[in-house]
Amino acid sequence: MAAATDIRYTRGDATAPHGARPAVIAHIVNDRGAWGRGFVLAVSRRWPEPERAYRAWHRGRDSNDFALGAVQLVRVEPQLYVANMIGQHGIATRRSARPPIRYDATGRCLAALADHAAAAGASVHLPRIGCGLAGGRWEQVEPLIRTHMCARGIPVTVYDLP
């Protein structure tokens, strides 16, 4: 097992990750098949493949693993992937009793992504996942990243917009 790492925080665009490849850009998606607000817009501006793959994954959900806690890796450049991680149940509405983020599902996503990253020798790059439209709190998401990724030696960079 690799030595534990810490989260690196930086200012910048998570869709333009710093450092060597291979790398994975990770983000949270919902389990309803909705794509069109939040970080996914930045992803779609750069590459069409993650949205197309997510929509196809959702359409085929009766015969695939599309569910909370699942991860879909989409290759967007020779050594760069986008990880669509289903960690959000539905979408927030004014009448929502609780935020759509599901921390347990997000943890399962991060654990699965850590397996992929470790096997590929990849670093992981992400915005503050689950803390925008999903309504999560970073104080609850950050420990999941530390437990599932940093403890396994996966280099993680979190990007905050300038």
Side-chain angles (χ1 to χ4, degrees):
M1 183 156 99
T5 60
D6 200 8
I7 299 171
R8 178 176 174 254
Y9 288 89
T10 190
R11 292 207 174 277
D13 179 356
T15 67
H18 307 166
R21 301 287 197 268
V24 178
I25 299 166
H27 69 114
I28 297 289
V29 295
N30 63 71
D31 63 354
R32 295 264 170 92
W35 180 292
R37 292 179 51 213
F39 184 72
V40 299
L41 294 177
V43 171
S44 289
R45 276 192 295 273
R46 260 196 208 275
W47 311 281
E49 296 91 345
E51 178 179 359
R52 278 198 303 256
Y54 169 78
R55 291 186 184 282
W57 191 27
H58 178 261
R59 275 192 309 277
R61 67 191 175 278
D62 290 338
S63 60
N64 65 36
D65 67 343
F66 187 94
L68 284 168
V71 177
Q72 179 188 52
L73 281 174
V74 181
R75 187 180 192 166
V76 294
E77 293 178 11
Q79 298 232 349
L80 183 62
Y81 297 81
V82 170
N84 294 328
M85 303 189 305
I86 307 177
Q88 177 180 329
H89 178 59
I91 55 175
T93 66
R94 289 183 187 186
R95 295 185 310 220
S96 298
R98 75 186 254 209
I101 188 162
R102 295 299 181 261
Y103 295 108
D104 58 335
T106 299
R108 291 193 309 275
C109 289
L110 291 168
L113 180 56
D115 290 341
H116 292 294
S123 57
V124 174
H125 304 262
L126 44 112
R128 292 187 186 234
I129 58 170
C131 297
L133 297 172
R137 297 182 56 224
W138 188 246
E139 298 78 27
Q140 291 181 265
V141 174
E142 183 186 50
L144 297 172
I145 294 169
R146 290 186 188 285
T147 297
H148 296 290
M149 305 202 91
C150 296
R152 293 191 54 194
I154 308 296
V156 175
T157 302
V158 173
Y159 295 77
D160 290 311
L161 292 174

